[in-house]
Amino acid sequence: MTGLRELFEDAAGSSARPSRLTANEVYDAGRRRHRRRLAAATVAGATALTLVAVAAVNLLAPVPPPVDGTPIAGQPTTTGNPDPASGRRIRWALAADRNHLYLSLSTCTNGPCQSKQTVALVGSTDGGRTWSDRGAPITVSALAVLGPDTLIAAVPGIRPGADLTLLASLDGGRTWAAARSAGTAEAVPAGGTAICWSPQLGTPCTLHAVDPATHGVAPLAEQPPLTMRTDALQIEESAGRLRVAGTDPVTGRPAVSTSTDAGRSWSTHVFADAPACPEEKCEAPLLAVTGTATTYATTTGGDVRAVYRSDGTGGRWQRLTDAHLPDEPATNGSFVTADGTHVLFQLVNGRNADARRYWAARDGGAYQAVELVGLPTTAGPVRRTPDGWFYASDDAVGTLYGSTDGWRWSPVTRR
């Protein structure tokens, strides 16, 4: 079987499309996109990039099993703490719950990286006390955790006509197999998840049902009436509700679609009174879910963050007090603490490093500046697992932080 690394290198060797932008414009556009990715990756009520199970339902159109072939990657090697003297940076920090943690570490130690997407995966099953290598380095564009031992990754295309291919692992990232997509699914299966995914870069994604028991992936028969784009695969789930953010294809305004029956049907709310969009078209709202049906949606216009809240009944959204925050409009995200406080964050350019600032409000009150005790301002974004544990990584120094309430933080990995 042709090595995965060789296939990745072949894919990466293709010529880039020509650009009409100047070098400065390319840099500025890349900078804005990078910061939007950091903001959009924030998940406050469920996971991060962590995908969670939905209510028990039957998959009416069965998802096919994975393709046959030799599993990709090797066996784990115990490493202890994933903070080696080599100074490998954390590319992604993901968690299924407070015990099952994953870090993807940069494979670059000195000098420039030839591929910033190539990472070494390490995992912990005891809340970060011990860690183990999870096979050989792998090149990924996006990575998500579906369960304690179930992962899915979008990798540079190893199939003709696809920019990206989905791989799935059922053993914590030790081995991988290609996921197959065929037919359609009426709903997300029991114990399954939903992702938003497109095999072509730069195109809107569609919702797919994932069956972690079989590596199967199939597009949902009923799609939300939204234009959806995400770099992170996952969508939000809480209290048996699937929520996906996007824009209304008719008006271009930010919108959210919700399903209470595992993706069989969708109700959609368009935020017609959201602040004027700062660019040619609106960005999708940023969602923050809790352990209940309550969900927050944040839209941006200039220095105004309009915050909406839904209690999950009747598709109604209430506009709360607007937050006026300085600096660029597309650098914000949010999460909800264990006591129900909604916390906005903003990534701000610093002289030596970017830093995050936080504003919090309860019950629709005014947003006020707050500090998260023990969490460096260079760490983030803050994410929450389905069992209510919060985590964030300081990628530059390779430290993962955890919290039981979202307010008080301590390092999980040792320096």
Side-chain angles (χ1 to χ4, degrees):
M1 177 179 178
T2 304
L4 183 62
R5 177 186 294 275
E6 181 180 344
L7 290 169
F8 288 151
E9 290 173 349
D10 289 343
S14 59
S15 300
R17 294 186 177 94
S19 171
R20 294 192 177 100
L21 299 179
T22 66
N24 287 338
E25 288 171 330
V26 170
Y27 176 85
D28 292 340
R31 180 68 172 172
R32 287 194 299 270
R33 178 170 177 79
H34 172 69
R35 296 177 70 175
R36 289 195 185 101
R37 283 183 178 177
L38 291 176
T42 298
V43 177
T47 123
L49 244 136
T50 303
L51 299 174
V52 293
V54 299
V57 294
N58 292 320
L59 185 63
L60 301 184
V63 181
V67 296
D68 295 330
T70 304
I72 298 165
Q75 296 301 313
T77 302
T78 301
T79 59
N81 186 66
D83 185 28
S86 62
R88 291 186 296 176
R89 296 190 176 194
I90 298 174
R91 297 303 309 277
W92 292 290
L94 301 171
D97 51 48
R98 67 188 65 199
N99 290 318
H100 294 85
L101 315 178
Y102 293 90
L103 299 176
S104 61
L105 305 177
S106 170
T107 57
C108 301
T109 55
N110 297 302
C113 289
Q114 291 186 349
S115 175
K116 293 184 178 180
Q117 292 180 321
T118 301
V119 297
L121 189 66
V122 297
S124 173
T125 60
D126 55 12
R129 287 184 289 275
T130 60
W131 298 79
S132 63
D133 290 336
R134 301 300 172 92
I138 184 172
T139 300
V140 295
S141 297
L143 183 67
V145 174
L146 282 63
D149 298 305
T150 306
L151 290 75
I152 194 164
V155 305
I158 56 177
R159 288 178 171 173
D163 295 325
L164 297 174
T165 298
L166 286 182
L167 298 181
S169 173
L170 302 182
D171 56 8
R174 295 176 178 89
T175 59
W176 297 84
R180 291 183 63 182
S181 177
T184 59
E186 293 295 327
V188 178
T193 60
I195 62 173
C196 200
W197 136 264
S198 171
Q200 305 300 329
L201 293 171
T203 61
C205 59
T206 57
L207 294 189
H208 287 66
V210 180
D211 187 343
T214 65
H215 292 178
V217 178
L220 284 172
E222 187 69 24
Q223 293 286 323
L226 298 178
T227 300
M228 301 170 290
R229 298 178 185 273
T230 179
D231 297 319
L233 292 178
Q234 77 212 55
I235 68 170
E236 303 301 339
E237 188 276 342
S238 184
R241 289 168 170 80
L242 292 170
R243 295 193 190 271
V244 60
T247 55
D248 176 40
V250 177
T251 64
R253 304 296 289 165
V256 173
S257 288
T258 302
S259 175
T260 58
D261 54 10
R264 289 185 176 88
S265 62
W266 298 87
S267 62
T268 300
H269 179 85
V270 178
F271 298 100
D273 63 340
C277 301
E279 297 182 2
E280 295 156 347
K281 56 184 178 181
C282 298
E283 298 284 345
L286 298 179
L287 301 181
V289 301
T290 65
T292 68
T294 299
T295 303
Y296 289 84
T298 305
T299 65
T300 299
D303 67 345
V304 179
R305 274 68 168 169
V307 180
Y308 300 82
R309 182 175 60 196
S310 171
D311 62 5
T313 60
R316 293 190 297 270
W317 289 83
Q318 174 190 5
R319 184 166 177 168
L320 306 178
T321 303
D322 292 348
H324 294 263
L325 308 182
D327 205 34
E328 294 184 24
T331 58
N332 63 301
S334 71
F335 67 98
V336 183
T337 63
D339 63 11
T341 302
H342 185 229
V343 181
L344 293 169
F345 77 73
Q346 183 183 29
L347 191 65
V348 180
N349 280 329
R351 176 173 297 179
N352 299 317
D354 290 345
R356 286 176 175 83
R357 298 175 182 172
Y358 297 90
W359 289 263
R362 292 204 62 176
D363 300 323
Y367 284 84
Q368 298 179 349
V370 295
E371 293 185 5
L372 305 184
V373 178
L375 185 67
T377 58
T378 51
V382 173
R383 299 163 180 158
R384 178 179 175 172
T385 63
D387 64 346
W389 186 69
F390 299 84
Y391 65 101
S393 63
D394 193 332
D395 300 352
V397 298
T399 301
L400 177 67
Y401 294 85
S403 172
T404 58
D405 61 6
W407 293 110
R408 293 172 290 274
W409 294 77
S410 58
V412 175
T413 54
R414 301 184 300 274
R415 285 300 296 166

